[in-house]
Amino acid sequence: MGGVDLIPAPQVVRADVREERFALGDAVRLDVGAGAERAARWVRGVLGAATGVEFGAAGDAVVSLGVDGELGPEAYRLKVTPERVELTGGDGAGVFWGAQTVRQLLGPAAFRRAPLPGGGGWSLPVCEIEDRPRFGWRGFLLDVARHFMPKDGVLRQLDLMAAHKLNVLHLHLTDDQGWRMEVTRYPRLTEVGAWRERTRVGLAPSKVWDERPHGGYYTQDDLREIVAYAAERYITVVPEIDVPGHSQAAIAAYPELGNTDVVDTAALGVLDRWGVNPNVLAPTEGVLRFYEDVFGELLDIFPSTFVHVGGDECPKEQWRESATAQARIAELGVGDEDGLQSAFIRHFDRWLAERGRRLIGWDEILEGGLAEGAAVSSWQGYAGGIAAARAGHDVVMCPQTQVYLDWRQADGPDEPVPIAHVRTLEDVYRFEPVPPELTAAQAAHVIGTQANVWTEVLDSARAVDYAVYPRLSAFAEVAWSDLPAPAERDWAGFAARMRTHYARLDALGVEYRPASGPRPWQRRPGVVGRPKEGPPPIV
């Protein structure tokens, strides 16, 4: 029955051997219990539009949505009989995730925005499904700083996440190449920092340039809309403002933020190329006050408990040469430049904690001592996450060697702008977020996992689709389902289920990478990447 084609795979599926079905007809009576209202709105709006079925107060067929807290957070139970459908969640989120399963059971055409002519006769297989997620943080990082994605594109990504039961959008809003959030107190952040004059095409040593200015930003109301749209789908948006590195766009807008005693910061523009950049924030009280103002406006927009402060790839050369930075090291008694970075992060850890929020940062925040109360996004490998978990800090596992979705998907000559090592769909499916060397108590600090897509060479929604899918579908199963050890996973079974799932992605308009390789228009001949041979080191 259709249940075997569900992605991510449910915990328990019991099918009716007689293969009976529940017929929706033209109208369905939708009974909605307390706590299930959001899911009901989604059913009426999305499933109603796709099927043409009226989900309302009339109809012979009955679909009931309810909440039973004993099932647990985000869990759901789906029972389909020939007479009715009963969907019960442990909370509102559980009902919503169960509704995503119902959509898959209806068939790929249910993923369209309008019914196809002659496509009636909607039905569901008689079955019982019991399901719950493995991790509470099932994340996807979208980098909108390197190449801006207009608001509607972000909303589309949220719909795709919901279809895969992912529940955290990590929105990377600032970097050397662009500042994407309106800050009313500092308008030059977007007037200047949101635009670069040109863009390197490909990675160094590429000599190709796109001479068109590139940029864009989200108004605060745009971001509030994104947050509200996500919340309707039980997705939390975790914003990232990167400090103290990856900050040249901010310095271009406000030169006093940089190390003015070392560099002519007034001559810096928004960076137009890729790579780790030496122009970092000055570690002064004035810079701290500036970013407190920025984070203050951010907290008014994003209700997320977690706020991401970056903290990665901060070269220390300018601080070593800066008399101001060296005096700051002596004043704070932090010993060296690593200690100075740690003090910078610790400051915002305390500042956020005083406002009821939690800091999360890339694993470089471990350098110079882990900020008290901070959580870690472990990107360089497993090692940072292991160290943090052993020290009692929460961890989101997102090692680049496993779940960086901008890395190339094959070693063929047609792979567009090839980056780093090959990471296939099967590689992602066999990713295990919890390292076996952790004890049970330490492993409990792995609160989730996340797949990241960086957009230096992904300059359109089509390019993002190609890099992300179908690998994010495999990641979604890793994040949701209780899978065996990597070597024991049923890759053949997953690949078979993907045949149905590709049809869903087609209906959604996702321009994924076909298993046979890129389509002609997905290739980028002549655009230089930086491929690495052989399998990646797992560290």
Short mmCIF file of all heavy atoms in Angstrom, two decimals, residues 481-504:
data_model
loop_
_atom_site.label_atom_id
_atom_site.label_comp_id
_atom_site.label_asym_id
_atom_site.label_seq_id
_atom_site.Cartn_x
_atom_site.Cartn_y
_atom_site.Cartn_z
N SER A 481 13.20 9.85 11.48
CA SER A 481 12.93 8.42 11.68
C SER A 481 13.98 7.77 12.57
O SER A 481 15.15 8.17 12.59
CB SER A 481 12.88 7.70 10.33
OG SER A 481 11.96 8.32 9.45
N ASP A 482 13.57 6.73 13.30
CA ASP A 482 14.51 5.91 14.07
C ASP A 482 15.11 4.88 13.12
O ASP A 482 14.52 3.82 12.87
CB ASP A 482 13.78 5.20 15.22
CG ASP A 482 13.54 6.13 16.39
OD1 ASP A 482 14.31 7.09 16.56
OD2 ASP A 482 12.57 5.90 17.14
N LEU A 483 16.29 5.18 12.60
CA LEU A 483 16.93 4.32 11.62
C LEU A 483 17.98 3.43 12.27
O LEU A 483 18.54 3.78 13.32
CB LEU A 483 17.59 5.17 10.52
CG LEU A 483 16.64 6.06 9.71
CD1 LEU A 483 17.45 6.91 8.72
CD2 LEU A 483 15.61 5.23 8.98
N PRO A 484 18.29 2.30 11.66
CA PRO A 484 19.40 1.49 12.16
C PRO A 484 20.73 2.20 11.98
O PRO A 484 20.80 3.31 11.45
CB PRO A 484 19.32 0.22 11.29
CG PRO A 484 18.00 0.27 10.59
CD PRO A 484 17.63 1.71 10.49
N ALA A 485 21.80 1.54 12.39
CA ALA A 485 23.15 2.07 12.17
C ALA A 485 23.35 2.29 10.67
O ALA A 485 22.74 1.61 9.83
CB ALA A 485 24.19 1.11 12.72
N PRO A 486 24.21 3.25 10.30
CA PRO A 486 24.34 3.62 8.87
C PRO A 486 24.53 2.45 7.92
O PRO A 486 23.87 2.38 6.87
CB PRO A 486 25.55 4.55 8.88
CG PRO A 486 25.49 5.21 10.22
CD PRO A 486 25.01 4.15 11.16
N ALA A 487 25.39 1.50 8.26
CA ALA A 487 25.67 0.40 7.34
C ALA A 487 24.49 -0.55 7.21
O ALA A 487 24.40 -1.31 6.23
CB ALA A 487 26.91 -0.38 7.82
N GLU A 488 23.57 -0.52 8.18
CA GLU A 488 22.45 -1.44 8.18
C GLU A 488 21.18 -0.84 7.59
O GLU A 488 20.13 -1.50 7.54
CB GLU A 488 22.17 -1.91 9.62
CG GLU A 488 23.35 -2.62 10.27
CD GLU A 488 23.16 -2.82 11.76
OE1 GLU A 488 22.05 -2.51 12.26
OE2 GLU A 488 24.11 -3.26 12.43
N ARG A 489 21.22 0.39 7.15
CA ARG A 489 20.02 1.04 6.64
C ARG A 489 19.61 0.46 5.30
O ARG A 489 20.44 0.07 4.49
CB ARG A 489 20.24 2.55 6.56
CG ARG A 489 20.36 3.17 7.93
CD ARG A 489 20.63 4.66 7.93
NE ARG A 489 20.88 5.09 9.31
CZ ARG A 489 21.31 6.29 9.66
NH1 ARG A 489 21.52 7.21 8.73
NH2 ARG A 489 21.51 6.57 10.94
N ASP A 490 18.30 0.47 5.09
CA ASP A 490 17.72 -0.14 3.88
C ASP A 490 17.77 0.88 2.74
O ASP A 490 16.77 1.50 2.39
CB ASP A 490 16.28 -0.58 4.17
CG ASP A 490 15.64 -1.26 2.98
OD1 ASP A 490 16.34 -1.54 1.99
OD2 ASP A 490 14.41 -1.49 3.04
N TRP A 491 18.96 1.03 2.16
CA TRP A 491 19.12 1.99 1.07
C TRP A 491 18.24 1.62 -0.12
O TRP A 491 17.61 2.49 -0.74
CB TRP A 491 20.58 2.09 0.67
CG TRP A 491 20.77 2.72 -0.68
CD1 TRP A 491 21.25 2.13 -1.81
CD2 TRP A 491 20.45 4.07 -1.05
NE1 TRP A 491 21.25 3.01 -2.86
CE2 TRP A 491 20.77 4.21 -2.42
CE3 TRP A 491 19.93 5.15 -0.37
CZ2 TRP A 491 20.58 5.40 -3.12
CZ3 TRP A 491 19.73 6.36 -1.06
CH2 TRP A 491 20.05 6.47 -2.41
N ALA A 492 18.17 0.34 -0.45
CA ALA A 492 17.35 -0.07 -1.60
C ALA A 492 15.88 0.28 -1.37
O ALA A 492 15.18 0.73 -2.28
CB ALA A 492 17.51 -1.57 -1.85
N GLY A 493 15.40 0.08 -0.14
CA GLY A 493 14.02 0.42 0.17
C GLY A 493 13.78 1.91 0.08
O GLY A 493 12.74 2.36 -0.43
N PHE A 494 14.74 2.71 0.58
CA PHE A 494 14.59 4.16 0.49
C PHE A 494 14.59 4.60 -0.97
O PHE A 494 13.77 5.44 -1.38
CB PHE A 494 15.72 4.86 1.25
CG PHE A 494 15.69 6.36 1.13
CD1 PHE A 494 14.82 7.11 1.89
CD2 PHE A 494 16.52 7.01 0.22
CE1 PHE A 494 14.76 8.49 1.78
CE2 PHE A 494 16.48 8.39 0.09
CZ PHE A 494 15.60 9.13 0.87
N ALA A 495 15.51 4.07 -1.76
CA ALA A 495 15.57 4.44 -3.18
C ALA A 495 14.26 4.09 -3.88
O ALA A 495 13.80 4.84 -4.76
CB ALA A 495 16.75 3.73 -3.84
N ALA A 496 13.64 2.98 -3.51
CA ALA A 496 12.36 2.60 -4.11
C ALA A 496 11.27 3.60 -3.71
O ALA A 496 10.44 4.00 -4.54
CB ALA A 496 11.97 1.19 -3.68
N ARG A 497 11.26 4.01 -2.44
CA ARG A 497 10.27 5.00 -2.00
C ARG A 497 10.50 6.35 -2.69
O ARG A 497 9.57 7.11 -2.94
CB ARG A 497 10.31 5.17 -0.49
CG ARG A 497 9.64 4.04 0.27
CD ARG A 497 9.63 4.26 1.77
NE ARG A 497 10.94 4.02 2.37
CZ ARG A 497 11.60 4.88 3.13
NH1 ARG A 497 11.10 6.08 3.36
NH2 ARG A 497 12.76 4.56 3.65
N MET A 498 11.75 6.64 -3.00
CA MET A 498 12.05 7.91 -3.67
C MET A 498 11.44 7.99 -5.06
O MET A 498 11.16 9.09 -5.55
CB MET A 498 13.57 8.12 -3.77
CG MET A 498 14.20 8.71 -2.52
SD MET A 498 13.54 10.34 -2.03
CE MET A 498 13.93 11.33 -3.48
N ARG A 499 11.19 6.85 -5.69
CA ARG A 499 10.57 6.90 -7.02
C ARG A 499 9.21 7.59 -6.95
O ARG A 499 8.84 8.36 -7.85
CB ARG A 499 10.47 5.49 -7.61
CG ARG A 499 11.81 4.94 -8.07
CD ARG A 499 11.64 3.74 -8.97
NE ARG A 499 11.22 2.53 -8.26
CZ ARG A 499 12.06 1.66 -7.71
NH1 ARG A 499 13.37 1.86 -7.79
NH2 ARG A 499 11.61 0.59 -7.10
N THR A 500 8.45 7.30 -5.90
CA THR A 500 7.19 8.02 -5.69
C THR A 500 7.45 9.46 -5.27
O THR A 500 6.76 10.39 -5.70
CB THR A 500 6.33 7.31 -4.63
OG1 THR A 500 6.01 6.00 -5.09
CG2 THR A 500 5.06 8.07 -4.33
N HIS A 501 8.46 9.66 -4.44
CA HIS A 501 8.72 10.99 -3.91
C HIS A 501 9.19 11.95 -5.01
O HIS A 501 8.89 13.15 -4.95
CB HIS A 501 9.76 10.92 -2.79
CG HIS A 501 9.72 12.11 -1.88
ND1 HIS A 501 8.66 12.39 -1.05
CD2 HIS A 501 10.62 13.11 -1.68
CE1 HIS A 501 8.90 13.50 -0.37
NE2 HIS A 501 10.08 13.96 -0.75
N TYR A 502 9.91 11.44 -6.00
CA TYR A 502 10.29 12.30 -7.13
C TYR A 502 9.05 12.88 -7.81
O TYR A 502 9.03 14.03 -8.23
CB TYR A 502 11.11 11.53 -8.15
CG TYR A 502 12.55 11.28 -7.75
CD1 TYR A 502 13.08 10.00 -7.70
CD2 TYR A 502 13.39 12.35 -7.42
CE1 TYR A 502 14.40 9.77 -7.34
CE2 TYR A 502 14.71 12.12 -7.06
CZ TYR A 502 15.22 10.84 -7.01
OH TYR A 502 16.52 10.62 -6.65
N ALA A 503 7.98 12.08 -7.90
CA ALA A 503 6.74 12.57 -8.50
C ALA A 503 6.13 13.68 -7.65
O ALA A 503 5.54 14.64 -8.18
CB ALA A 503 5.76 11.43 -8.70
N ARG A 504 6.26 13.57 -6.32
CA ARG A 504 5.78 14.66 -5.46
C ARG A 504 6.59 15.93 -5.70
O ARG A 504 6.04 17.03 -5.80
CB ARG A 504 5.89 14.24 -3.99
CG ARG A 504 5.03 13.05 -3.61
CD ARG A 504 5.26 12.64 -2.16
NE ARG A 504 4.61 11.36 -1.86
CZ ARG A 504 5.20 10.35 -1.23
NH1 ARG A 504 6.46 10.46 -0.81
NH2 ARG A 504 4.54 9.23 -1.02
#
